[in-house]
Amino acid sequence: MKKTGFRFSYLFMGLVLVIMYLPILLLVIYSFNESKISSVWGGFSLKWYRDLFRDEDMFEALWNSIVLGVSSSLCAGVLGTLGALGMSKIRCKANSFMEYMATLPIMIPEIILGMVFLAFFSLLGLPFGMTTLILGHTAFCVPYIFMLVKARLVGMDPSLAEAARDLGASEPRVFWDITLPLLLPAIASGMVLSFAMSFDDVIISLFVTGVNVNTLPIRVYTQIKTGVTPEINALCTLMLGATLLLVGISVWLGREKKPAKAEVDY
């Protein structure tokens, strides 16, 4: 019975992996297709990548996405870190509720967030463009950094900060010399993950962008309305590779490093 159960589990997992990753694999393969028709294989070719790199509008959209991702991840890094630090120092019954509210944007569907941002920015009279994109993406990315920094704070040894205070260090000095260096891996990991989420976002960007600002995911979305071309497959392949690279860097930065062995001189 146990062997049958194991076989069924492996079969089920294999089926799930095929359903999830086979379309991605086909997209990557057909990005090297010689034929202009995506569903017909015409031989191996790199011409769609060459055409992609000659597209100036595509590179302008790429630059907008990079500026948006860097700006929103930096703003979210500051807000998420300060929020996690503040929550760690407050002891009240509303802590759990406040933490839940801080991570709520992750659980709200993006289409609802986009509509909320659209109504809010319209109420404020803000011109839609890069500014509204940065504000919307920052609000969307803050919970990722908040959760990572909060988890890092829980695992920190409080005796390190207490020892610094006992030696006469002020609170700002304790933060810059003790707390911040210990939090940097979590902050960097959260910012890289936030950049990846911002770079790939379509739904929120559609609601808060302006007519003169076009991000890369929005350009891809508008182009596939007329059909998926091998050039789009090439672009999606490059975006997939960049996203996987950023997620890998995020995991590497956020991993727990073993402390170096202390050497004591007597």
Side-chain angles (χ1 to χ4, degrees):
M1 291 294 294
K2 288 185 177 179
K3 290 184 177 180
T4 304
F6 281 131
R7 289 174 181 173
F8 178 77
S9 299
Y10 288 137
L11 180 62
F12 177 77
M13 287 302 300
L15 180 63
V16 171
L17 291 175
V18 168
I19 294 174
M20 289 176 59
Y21 294 107
L22 183 59
I24 299 176
L25 179 61
L26 290 176
L27 182 143
V28 174
I29 292 174
Y30 277 95
S31 69
F32 300 98
N33 187 12
E34 174 72 24
S35 173
K36 191 173 183 179
I37 303 174
S38 298
S39 58
V40 178
W41 179 257
F44 182 86
S45 175
L46 295 174
K47 72 175 185 177
W48 303 112
Y49 287 90
R50 291 194 295 267
D51 292 344
L52 178 63
F53 284 104
R54 296 192 189 106
D55 193 336
E56 295 182 0
D57 293 336
M58 194 72 75
F59 273 93
E60 181 182 355
L62 172 62
W63 174 250
N64 289 335
S65 292
I66 292 174
V67 171
L68 174 60
V70 170
S71 302
S72 59
S73 61
L74 285 174
C75 295
V78 174
L79 294 176
T81 302
L82 293 178
L85 285 170
M87 290 296 299
S88 67
K89 297 181 181 298
I90 297 175
R91 296 291 183 269
C92 64
K93 294 181 179 180
N95 264 24
S96 299
F97 175 76
M98 293 174 66
E99 290 182 11
Y100 175 77
M101 292 299 295
T103 57
L104 191 60
I106 295 179
M107 295 173 278
I108 298 177
E110 289 189 17
I111 190 169
I112 297 178
L113 282 177
M115 293 173 64
V116 169
F117 291 145
L118 174 64
F120 181 67
F121 295 148
S122 298
L123 183 65
L124 294 179
L126 289 176
F128 286 88
M130 185 58 71
T131 301
T132 53
L133 279 168
I134 292 174
L135 291 175
H137 281 225
T138 298
F140 174 67
C141 293
V142 163
Y144 294 99
I145 298 175
F146 175 85
M147 290 191 300
L148 289 173
V149 175
K150 190 74 168 57
R152 186 77 172 181
L153 285 168
V154 171
M156 282 175 51
D157 187 359
S159 62
L160 296 174
E162 293 173 0
R165 295 188 190 96
D166 291 340
L167 292 173
S170 61
E171 284 297 328
R173 187 68 183 273
V174 171
F175 173 77
W176 287 108
D177 292 350
I178 305 295
T179 306
L180 185 59
L182 293 175
L183 291 179
L184 277 179
I187 297 173
S189 176
M191 289 178 64
V192 172
L193 181 59
S194 298
F195 178 86
M197 298 300 295
S198 173
F199 190 84
D200 287 346
D201 180 77
V202 177
I203 300 176
I204 294 178
S205 299
L206 282 173
F207 281 94
V208 299
T209 190
V211 294
N212 296 323
V213 179
N214 203 11
T215 63
L216 191 59
I218 293 177
R219 181 167 176 81
V220 172
Y221 174 75
T222 54
Q223 282 196 358
I224 62 175
K225 290 181 179 180
T226 58
V228 179
T229 64
E231 185 178 344
I232 295 297
N233 290 339
L235 176 61
C236 292
T237 300
L238 294 177
M239 291 179 64
L240 175 64
T243 302
L244 292 176
L245 178 63
L246 289 173
V247 172
I249 294 174
S250 173
V251 173
W252 180 74
L253 290 173
R255 67 181 178 177
E256 190 70 27
K257 296 183 180 179
K258 294 182 180 179
K261 191 174 182 181
E263 296 181 2
V264 182
D265 297 329
Y266 293 96

